[in-house]
Amino acid sequence: MKQATALDILKLGHSVFLTGPAGSGKTYLLNQYIQYLKSKKIGVAVTASTGIASTHMNGQTIHSWSGMGIKDIFTEADFSKLKKRPFYKSRIKKTKVLIIDEVSMLHAHQLDIVNSICKRFKEPFFPFGGLQVILCGDFFQLPPVARYGSRAKFVIESRAWDEMNLRICYLEEQHRQEDRQMLKILNDIRNRTCDSETMGMILSRENKTIKNNIAPTRLYTHNANVDAINDFELQKIKEEPQEFLMTSTGIENLVTTIKRGCLAPEKLILKKGAVVMFVKNNFERGFVNGTLGIVTDFEESGLPIVRTISGKIIIATPEKWSIEEDDVILASVTQVPLRLAWAITVHKSQGMTLDAVEMDLSKSFEYGMGYVALSRVRRLDGIKLLGINETALEVNPEMCELDKELERLSDINSSEINAMGFFEKIKRQKEFVEKNVSKESLTKKV
């Protein structure tokens, strides 16, 4: 399905599962729909399964938005407590559209809890209380974190999934990868058809130098050593350090949530010559979350001057990460949008586009880990492979069958929307807006 077709389906008000390969523009499309809803004064809740993913859209975690927190079981006592907190009641009542990004990392029971909470505050006999729900993600990427000895259940195994009658929108266009070899590798991993040719292409980058002027980011499967590597490399540079402190404003617990999910550190220490990575999208200024660069100097006011891998010179001015609701900023943090980038974990890299990566996949330990790491990169020659094991190229076999079915259902939905007359489509989209526009905005118009 093309992005424009998927956007048309979203505007009709259907609950949707938006999926597709890494780099197919899922988050970009969500941001388009969010802006559309805001322009029509329709209450939208922007959430994600993780703090990092939520910062891509100025949202918050679904755990925080719904009030379920980190509970695995939500009892009647928990519901009673939540009902006594008018903030949650007001928030859910105002919401007409609920977006949950990176659902591959959300547990089935957590989606069921959110469904139950929404029903308690809205219409009890409709899925999610009658909200339009947009789930977004790719089941070939990282799965929910399972507790020791237990099996993680994807949201497709939830009762809520069966209730929702979701329209499937499977995006097919590739916006990240720039060469055919890279696309073949990623498609072979998704289809579980990796053969000697695929492995040959991957291994062709074993210990190969990446041709650029900036040290590549090192991707590791474990947290251990990532911070140590960055600190060690920074200490080696014999230049004066410059310190940048994060500032914050708004509701304290939401500030804490943003800080936990934001990839920019609370205290950023840089030196001339440090390898850095931008951790926010700013298309107008020429960088995205994952753009690699080197600090060449500091300008008069002390802000870092970064030369990106493409040679672009950017003054890294502070950016804001915020949690918004009804166009009101509830909390925000401000920091220079950089982090040291000699090393980063695979988990933290999800959602990024990286220019040059030195990756060690020899300790991959779960489905999708190698796929996420490899799919961060635009071109095969942007990879230096330090090691790889069999697990790195594995994806969940159950997801392969599901993926084929999702593609089939998406084709049907695409045909239906294309067969719908232009005026009929516009009429239905207008009806959805009129049904869900906030009463406050109607009062203002009068």
Side-chain angles (χ1 to χ4, degrees):
M1 187 180 289
K2 306 285 186 191
Q3 285 191 1
T5 306
L7 188 58
D8 273 338
I9 291 174
L10 291 172
K11 288 178 180 179
L12 288 169
H14 297 299
S15 285
V16 163
F17 175 48
L18 178 64
T19 189
S24 57
K26 297 185 290 294
T27 302
Y28 175 78
L29 178 59
L30 284 183
N31 278 318
Q32 279 188 299
Y33 189 50
I34 291 163
Q35 293 311 310
Y36 170 80
L37 292 170
K38 288 181 175 180
S39 72
K40 301 295 183 184
K41 307 297 181 190
I42 295 174
V44 55
V46 182
T47 76
S49 62
T50 68
I52 292 170
S54 68
T55 63
H56 298 164
M57 301 183 296
N58 284 342
Q60 57 189 302
T61 63
I62 185 62
H63 313 73
S64 172
W65 177 85
S66 65
M68 74 171 170
I70 58 171
K71 291 180 181 291
D72 285 328
I73 298 171
F74 217 72
T75 64
E76 282 300 322
D78 292 321
F79 281 118
S80 296
K81 282 181 192 172
L82 206 57
K83 281 195 165 184
K84 289 173 185 172
R85 300 175 70 180
F87 175 69
Y88 285 101
K89 183 176 181 179
S90 171
R91 163 189 280 169
I92 296 172
K93 285 280 186 186
K94 285 181 186 174
T95 300
K96 305 296 182 184
V97 181
L98 172 62
I99 293 171
I100 311 176
D101 197 12
E102 296 290 9
V103 292
S104 75
M105 298 177 79
L106 192 69
H107 288 273
H109 67 266
Q110 291 171 327
L111 189 66
D112 283 332
I113 290 172
V114 177
N115 185 23
S116 297
I117 289 171
C118 291
K119 285 180 176 182
R120 296 288 179 120
F121 285 112
K122 293 181 84 72
E123 296 292 334
F125 302 110
F126 292 96
F128 290 85
L131 292 175
Q132 180 192 22
V133 180
I134 296 130
L135 305 179
C136 179
D138 176 12
F139 291 121
F140 287 115
Q141 297 194 40
L142 294 168
V145 178
R147 292 191 176 175
Y148 183 74
S150 64
R151 184 182 76 86
K153 289 187 177 182
F154 286 101
V155 291
I156 53 166
E157 298 178 72
S158 66
R159 293 187 301 277
W161 182 278
D162 292 334
E163 281 184 27
M164 292 167 72
N165 189 27
L166 288 163
R167 299 295 174 102
I168 308 301
C169 295
Y170 194 118
L171 300 183
E172 61 181 346
E173 296 169 298
Q174 254 301 340
H175 298 277
R176 181 180 295 143
Q177 276 69 42
E178 294 174 350
D179 77 79
R180 292 190 176 186
Q181 282 187 309
M182 200 70 229
L183 282 171
K184 176 172 167 47
I185 290 168
L186 297 177
N187 287 332
D188 285 351
I189 295 173
R190 286 181 74 90
N191 296 323
R192 299 178 74 225
T193 54
C194 290
D195 53 18
S196 57
E197 183 188 355
T198 316
M199 278 305 299
M201 285 190 283
I202 296 170
L203 292 174
S204 73
R205 298 307 305 166
E206 196 166 22
N207 296 314
K208 287 290 174 66
T209 304
I210 300 171
K211 294 175 183 175
N212 63 61
N213 300 321
I214 298 169
T217 301
R218 299 179 211 169
L219 273 190
Y220 288 90
T221 51
H222 292 71
N223 274 309
N225 300 326
V226 165
D227 289 336
I229 288 169
N230 285 329
D231 291 341
F232 175 73
E233 294 290 345
L234 189 68
Q235 293 302 322
K236 279 165 48 176
I237 299 174
K238 305 302 180 188
E239 294 278 349
E240 281 297 307
Q242 301 288 329
E243 190 175 283
F244 303 89
L245 297 177
M246 181 181 283
T247 59
S248 62
T249 181
I251 301 167
E252 191 175 336
N253 67 314
L254 294 182
V255 167
T256 303
T257 299
I258 300 172
K259 285 180 178 178
R260 202 180 296 131
C262 177
L263 283 169
E266 286 190 56
K267 183 163 79 170
L268 174 65
I269 299 174
L270 298 176
K271 293 179 182 178
K272 187 177 174 180
V275 174
V276 292
M277 175 191 297
F278 283 90
V279 289
K280 195 163 176 52
N281 292 331
N282 191 321
F283 301 105
E284 293 79 17
R285 300 200 57 221
F287 60 84
V288 296
N289 184 13
T291 296
L292 202 60
I294 191 165
V295 177
T296 58
D297 210 339
F298 297 89
E299 48 107 77
E300 287 181 11
S301 66
L303 290 173
I305 301 170
V306 178
R307 186 184 74 246
T308 70
I309 201 164
S310 65
K312 188 177 180 68
I313 302 296
I314 300 171
I315 297 172
T317 54
E319 295 262 355
K320 185 183 286 186
W321 288 258
S322 58
I323 290 176
E324 300 175 10
E325 198 164 286
D326 296 330
D327 283 338
V328 175
I329 295 176
L330 303 179
S332 68
V333 303
T334 303
Q335 175 61 296
V336 172
L338 298 172
R339 69 176 289 133
L340 297 176
W342 283 283
I344 192 171
T345 62
V346 173
H347 273 84
K348 282 195 173 76
S349 76
Q350 189 153 310
M352 288 183 166
T353 301
L354 301 171
D355 299 295
V357 179
E358 193 174 283
M359 60 179 73
D360 185 356
L361 301 176
S362 62
K363 295 179 182 176
S364 298
F365 58 89
E366 67 183 9
Y367 288 135
M369 194 160 261
Y371 178 74
V372 168
L374 290 163
S375 62
R376 298 309 94 205
V377 191
R378 299 177 197 272
R379 300 180 56 83
L380 185 59
D381 59 14
I383 296 172
K384 178 179 180 179
L385 184 69
L386 300 180
I388 192 166
N389 64 9
E390 287 184 17
T391 305
L393 300 186
E394 289 182 4
V395 290
N396 192 319
E398 294 174 22
M399 294 305 111
C400 287
E401 291 308 309
L402 173 69
D403 198 59
K404 290 184 178 70
E405 177 65 7
L406 293 175
E407 283 196 75
R408 187 184 72 80
L409 293 171
S410 181
D411 281 342
I412 292 170
N413 293 329
S414 191
S415 298
E416 282 181 3
I417 192 79
N418 290 334
M420 188 183 293
F422 174 79
F423 291 107
E424 177 66 17
K425 181 174 67 179
I426 297 302
K427 177 180 163 234
R428 291 197 201 175
Q429 290 174 346
K430 188 178 178 184
E431 285 170 356
F432 173 68
V433 169
E434 289 172 350
K435 178 185 171 187
N436 290 286
V437 69
S438 71
K439 290 177 183 176
E440 291 86 348
S441 64
L442 285 174
T443 306
K444 285 175 187 174
K445 282 181 186 175
V446 174

